[in-house]
Amino acid sequence: MHKFGLLNLSNEDASYELCRRILRNDEQVVRIVDEWFNWWVVKWRQRVKLVFTENEQANTDSNADIQGNVNELLKSLPKDLVDKLRREIIVELIRQNEICSLDVVSDFILKTTLNDLINEYGKDGALRLLSTNITSVRLRLLRKIMEIKESNQPLVILRVRISPSQPYQGVS
């Protein structure tokens, strides 16, 4: 969607347009998909960490503490604002060549930024800032994206169950 400039369309309209191009056997689509897949593999190896035991997972959990207050704040915000911020984050991640696990990474960026706002201004102050100075919030989101761009650390932890007898742990 980014390469064809379809990001301003709804997800349904953009998907429809991509499907039309694929069905026409558009060479440009094939070239873009090939290029994207090769880059995605590179980013997957850099950004996804596989863990096989609970001990490994315990050493890598950093997201668990921020969930409560942030989820409350997210419920207080208009859904279209949250969706728009997530989309803006994804677009900027793509511009910065981050193409792996975009939904997970954008959610993390949004939630950690909101958590920072709550810590700095309290929940009511964060809500006020979001409604009166969205540009300031966007700058904070951009700073988080740039921090991620400069980092070579994994951003997604994927728990792997090797044997059928090992209890299921889910995905982080």
Side-chain angles (χ1 to χ4, degrees):
M1 290 185 338
H2 175 70
K3 293 279 188 181
F4 287 117
L6 303 175
L7 288 171
N8 292 329
L9 299 176
S10 70
N11 283 340
E12 296 81 24
D13 291 342
S15 295
Y16 175 76
E17 179 58 27
L18 285 176
C19 286
R20 275 185 354 100
R21 291 176 188 218
I22 290 169
L23 291 174
R24 284 191 319 220
N25 271 337
D26 191 333
E27 270 185 51
Q28 186 180 12
V29 173
V30 172
R31 192 173 58 253
I32 288 172
V33 169
D34 188 47
E35 172 189 317
W36 175 85
F37 184 73
N38 288 329
W39 186 241
W40 185 88
V41 169
V42 169
K43 295 310 280 188
W44 169 272
R45 289 180 179 147
Q46 178 185 29
R47 296 302 193 190
V48 176
K49 178 179 180 180
L50 302 178
V51 295
F52 299 92
T53 67
E54 284 185 43
N55 291 339
E56 279 183 284
Q57 177 63 34
N59 293 334
T60 57
D61 260 341
S62 62
N63 199 14
D65 298 335
I66 68 171
Q67 292 298 324
N69 286 333
V70 170
N71 286 336
E72 253 183 69
L73 182 64
L74 281 170
K75 288 177 187 172
S76 304
L77 295 172
K79 184 181 178 341
D80 60 328
L81 173 63
V82 174
D83 291 345
K84 185 175 182 175
L85 290 173
R86 282 194 171 117
R87 187 179 272 281
E88 289 173 6
I89 293 167
I90 288 172
V91 168
E92 190 57 38
L93 284 167
I94 292 169
R95 285 185 184 133
Q96 300 304 323
N97 290 319
E98 295 294 337
I99 61 169
C100 183
S101 304
L102 291 175
D103 289 334
V104 174
V105 175
S106 66
D107 191 57
F108 172 77
I109 290 169
L110 180 60
K111 286 182 176 183
T112 55
T113 301
L114 293 177
N115 187 60
D116 292 348
L117 291 174
I118 292 169
N119 289 338
E120 196 170 328
Y121 299 105
K123 182 183 172 201
D124 292 335
L127 278 170
R128 206 169 20 261
L129 187 66
L130 283 156
S131 64
T132 61
N133 193 356
I134 196 68
T135 302
S136 168
V137 175
R138 284 185 171 116
L139 287 172
R140 287 172 180 256
L141 292 168
L142 187 57
R143 266 187 247 130
K144 291 268 187 221
I145 292 167
M146 292 304 140
E147 286 175 18
I148 285 174
K149 177 188 173 210
E150 299 301 320
S151 168
N152 287 327
Q153 298 300 312
L155 300 174
V156 178
I157 308 301
L158 184 62
R159 285 184 268 186
V160 178
R161 180 175 61 167
I162 297 176
S163 72
S165 63
Q166 184 179 358
Y168 176 69
Q169 299 292 318
V171 175
S172 295

